[in-house]
Amino acid sequence: MKSFAAVGAFVIGLSALLMGCADGPRSAAGTQLLDRQGYGAALRQGSRSYRWPADYRPDLDRLSADSAPGGGEAAPAGSERIILEIANSCAWYHSWDDARGRADQARAEEALTVLEEVLPGYGPQNPDGRRYAREAASRARAGDPSLARQFTEANCDGVIAWVRTGTDSEG
């Protein structure tokens, strides 16, 4: 089973850069650091600011447990947004692909709107990710699920546990 170990390592590495390497942990000017419990609380609070599809919502307890800093480590406040952006992207790509497979035009169109208008805005510090999201949305609009599926296979499948809702919540 995949895990958020690589993303967790990124968060810890980012934390180390912000804290500096000498004389133990300290925060960079104005950078708040979160322990495991604080990170989990920030993740849950932050998830409320995202729009989630009706049929895919992340299991926040598992998402937090899999992505939070380890015992004695800290993560910079705001790093939970990276995880939430990935999870939200996964949810919308999956929702669009599922709706497309069921020929549910209303749900597919709702998801396409998010793919086109919201997902390309994630990760402003990552222009390649933004280009990928725009291209995935363009292909999805044309009926090509290849980039949406590539994203979910690389970032979601076997990593994120879902709380499935709605009439199509068999998985």
Side-chain angles (χ1 to χ4, degrees):
M1 176 182 207
K2 297 179 191 175
S3 74
F4 276 113
V7 176
F10 168 77
V11 169
I12 299 306
L14 182 60
S15 176
L17 284 174
L18 291 173
M19 292 187 310
C21 297
D23 300 329
R26 60 190 157 128
S27 71
T31 301
Q32 180 184 3
L33 299 175
L34 302 173
D35 62 10
R36 191 168 183 82
Q37 184 178 13
Y39 176 90
L43 184 103
R44 282 179 192 76
Q45 179 66 30
S47 73
R48 294 183 191 124
S49 66
Y50 289 80
R51 179 176 169 208
W52 299 94
D55 51 346
Y56 281 90
R57 295 183 192 276
D59 177 332
L60 293 175
D61 291 335
R62 294 236 345 243
L63 190 61
S64 177
D66 290 346
S67 63
E73 296 174 342
S79 60
E80 72 283 353
R81 284 191 313 261
I82 296 166
I83 301 300
L84 288 169
E85 287 178 357
I86 292 168
N88 192 253
S89 297
C90 292
W92 284 106
Y93 285 134
H94 271 308
S95 186
W96 169 76
D97 201 19
D98 288 356
R100 181 182 161 279
R102 292 188 316 272
D104 182 341
Q105 291 302 104
R107 276 218 181 144
E109 187 58 37
E110 174 189 19
L112 275 171
T113 299
V114 174
L115 269 59
E116 293 170 334
E117 297 177 6
V118 177
L119 302 191
Y122 288 166
Q125 71 285 0
N126 182 358
D128 290 334
R130 295 177 75 149
R131 275 191 294 279
Y132 185 94
R134 284 191 300 274
E135 180 64 21
S138 177
R139 288 192 189 184
R141 175 64 67 191
D144 176 0
S146 61
L147 288 181
R149 288 179 180 167
Q150 182 180 17
F151 184 92
T152 60
E153 289 168 4
N155 297 291
C156 320
D157 299 347
V159 176
I160 299 174
W162 301 105
V163 176
R164 298 288 305 272
T165 58
T167 60
D168 52 338
S169 60
E170 70 279 351

